[in-house]
Amino acid sequence: MPRRAQSKSKAPKKQEGGDKSAPTPEQWNEMKHYTSFIIHDQEGNENRFSQGQSATILPFNRKPTEKLELHEYWVGKIREIRAIDFEDEERVNEVWVRVQWFYSPKDVRNVVKSFDAKSCGKYERIFSDHFDLVKSEAFNDVVPVLKLWEIWEPDAEQIFIQQEQFYYRYTFEYKVRTIDPKPGTNTCFCSLPYKPDDPSSLMHFCPRPSCKKAFHQKCLIKGKHKDTESISTRPLRLLACSPDTKTPLTLDDLIPPREPPKKKRRGRPPKASIAAPSHPLDEKDGGAVSAESILSSLPPTLVQYAEQPMVRGAAFKAGSVAGNITAVSVARRLVHAALGGTPVPDNWKEMVFGVEDAQAGPNPSPVVRITGGKQVVPALICPQCRSCI
């Protein structure tokens, strides 16, 4: 990662206050607006930073020659860029940036003593309402900061978040000391939040619109929310748990009823054939097609993805921070559509993974393989709607 020149920013480590050499409000108002600025690293490469982007910033009292891990940088969102026009040539193009900070969990813990910083991940940040003016030389690199849904939005699909990628799920109002949403709200019945980096923690997600909720595996087992039905039919029952309907369904419910033959009218010659079957895979003898026969005609890998439990947690490395929830949801929608007679599109891998080639892209397989040797994902049900999860 390129190293920047030493910053003159003197924002305290707790991110209280700002650079004493920063422009006054009066000076700031007179400065010229820009939409981007360029920093040259020690190798001479140009790095452009634009308004609206998020970036890593060299922390106060850290030297640019130090080797920093990515998570050790400060992170801020670029809100405004302005420059001072000086007659003195040595101070021409002095660029200042108005930054909205993403606090680290420890920063929030220093302000709100009840906040559990240990429940947050290494790359997790909390989006604050704290702004500072930072000199451009302190900027290191442009980085995305992705949204992790703790309280699941009904119409939102969780995007994939890689292991070493910044993300946030809370916002922090500094002056009133409030965190939104409150950690643990509308999640597991234990009211404890998801711990992304805890290898002993795994959460199962129920996608039903009436639930949209994640539960700790340990809590489900302790509460005896186990699936007691046949293990052989569990994959099909997982597949039937739809992210789009509140009504409990079986896979056969998704197959449209076959149209009966139309009655012949008197005085007209009989037609050569009866009404067309309602599903393209209707059996040749005219009988109704079964869910099993349709599934056997679909891409096996797609069906395997759709039959997975939706989970997230450090024990599930393939799912990373966000888990496999979106990938499995998309796969189930495609399979459900196929049961209704809609052919599976050729680009189904791109739809499931968000990339053209699932094997070459950044998103690994959503198939649940838990780390730790022979550990097996237990058969569990949602404590609210009793669906397989």
Side-chain angles (χ1 to χ4, degrees):
M1 180 175 292
R3 303 298 178 188
R4 309 297 175 192
Q6 174 64 42
S7 168
K8 293 183 180 180
S9 175
K10 295 184 179 179
K13 195 170 183 179
K14 294 182 181 180
Q15 298 189 18
E16 298 176 354
D19 191 334
K20 293 180 181 179
S21 66
T24 64
E26 293 77 14
Q27 291 173 329
W28 178 257
N29 291 333
E30 294 177 358
M31 294 166 65
K32 187 176 180 180
H33 291 254
Y34 290 88
T35 58
S36 64
F37 64 94
I38 294 174
I39 293 292
H40 292 83
D41 60 25
Q42 294 181 352
E43 290 77 29
N45 300 313
E46 287 190 353
N47 295 274
R48 182 181 293 274
F49 298 83
S50 300
Q51 186 172 321
Q53 291 180 327
S54 299
T56 49
I57 298 170
L58 188 68
F60 178 59
N61 279 341
R62 299 300 293 267
K63 298 179 181 180
T65 54
E66 291 184 61
K67 185 176 180 180
L68 299 181
E69 297 291 338
L70 179 59
H71 64 87
E72 295 181 290
Y73 282 92
W74 289 355
V75 183
K77 194 173 187 69
I78 299 172
R79 289 305 189 185
E80 290 184 82
I81 303 167
R82 300 192 186 189
I84 303 175
D85 293 327
F86 290 104
E87 294 182 1
D88 184 351
E89 293 184 358
E90 294 182 358
R91 300 190 67 186
V92 171
N93 296 328
E94 185 173 309
V95 178
W96 288 86
V97 183
R98 188 168 185 259
V99 167
Q100 184 173 4
W101 291 112
F102 285 94
Y103 274 34
S104 72
K106 290 182 179 179
D107 291 330
V108 175
R109 176 68 176 81
N110 289 334
V111 179
V112 181
K113 302 302 181 184
S114 60
F115 181 71
D116 181 14
K118 294 181 180 180
S119 67
C120 298
K122 182 188 296 185
Y123 288 89
E124 183 169 359
R125 297 295 180 266
I126 295 89
F127 196 34
S128 79
D129 61 352
H130 182 179
F131 295 80
D132 268 329
L133 296 182
V134 179
K135 202 168 184 181
S136 60
E137 286 87 342
F139 282 75
N140 177 71
D141 204 0
V142 173
V143 293
V145 184
L146 304 177
K147 174 69 175 179
L148 173 67
W149 295 107
E150 177 84 321
I151 296 179
W152 212 268
E153 296 293 333
D155 300 323
E157 292 287 2
Q158 175 67 70
I159 61 177
F160 187 84
I161 302 175
Q162 299 184 56
Q163 293 284 355
E164 296 184 354
Q165 193 166 23
F166 287 109
Y167 61 92
Y168 76 101
R169 54 178 158 167
Y170 306 122
T171 58
F172 175 51
E173 292 187 54
Y174 179 82
K175 290 184 178 180
V176 294
R177 309 302 200 252
T178 58
I179 300 167
D180 184 51
K182 183 179 178 181
T185 302
N186 199 37
T187 181
C188 184
F189 44 80
C190 68
S191 297
L192 294 177
Y194 167 48
K195 297 182 179 181
D197 291 354
D198 183 357
S200 66
S201 175
L202 195 72
M203 296 194 81
H204 289 244
F205 182 75
C206 180
R208 284 251 165 88
S210 55
C211 297
K212 295 284 184 183
K213 202 168 184 178
F215 304 90
H216 295 103
Q217 186 180 98
K218 292 180 179 179
C219 293
L220 292 172
I221 294 174
K222 185 177 180 179
K224 298 182 179 180
H225 299 288
K226 296 183 179 180
D227 185 4
T228 57
E229 296 188 38
S230 173
I231 193 67
S232 63
T233 61
R234 177 170 170 79
L236 297 178
R237 286 182 283 114
L238 279 165
L239 177 57
C241 186
S242 170
D244 299 316
T245 178
K246 299 178 182 178
T247 306
L249 298 172
T250 66
L251 295 180
D252 288 326
D253 293 332
L254 299 171
I255 303 174
R258 184 177 182 275
E259 286 187 23
K262 293 182 179 179
K263 293 182 179 180
K264 299 177 183 179
R265 295 185 180 182
R266 293 181 180 179
R268 295 185 180 182
K271 292 184 179 180
S273 62
I274 62 173
S278 60
H279 197 285
L281 293 179
D282 242 343
E283 296 174 353
K284 293 180 180 180
D285 61 2
V289 70
S290 67
E292 287 79 2
S293 63
I294 299 175
L295 293 178
S296 65
S297 71
L298 302 182
T301 308
L302 172 62
V303 177
Q304 183 186 25
Y305 292 162
E307 291 177 342
Q308 296 300 302
M310 297 183 186
V311 300
R312 64 180 183 182
F316 177 37
K317 292 291 185 181
S320 189
V321 176
N324 64 353
I325 297 167
T326 294
V328 175
S329 293
V330 174
R332 286 186 189 176
R333 289 190 179 102
L334 292 173
V335 172
H336 291 180
L339 290 169
T342 302
V344 175
D346 293 336
N347 66 335
W348 69 265
K349 286 186 178 181
E350 181 181 354
M351 297 175 68
V352 171
F353 294 95
V355 293
E356 185 174 353
D357 184 350
Q359 301 305 318
N363 297 13
S365 167
V367 175
V368 179
R369 293 187 178 91
I370 304 301
T371 57
K374 298 181 179 180
Q375 184 178 359
V376 177
V377 179
L380 301 169
I381 59 173
C382 174
Q384 295 183 169
C385 70
R386 314 299 291 175
S387 299
C388 289
I389 58 174

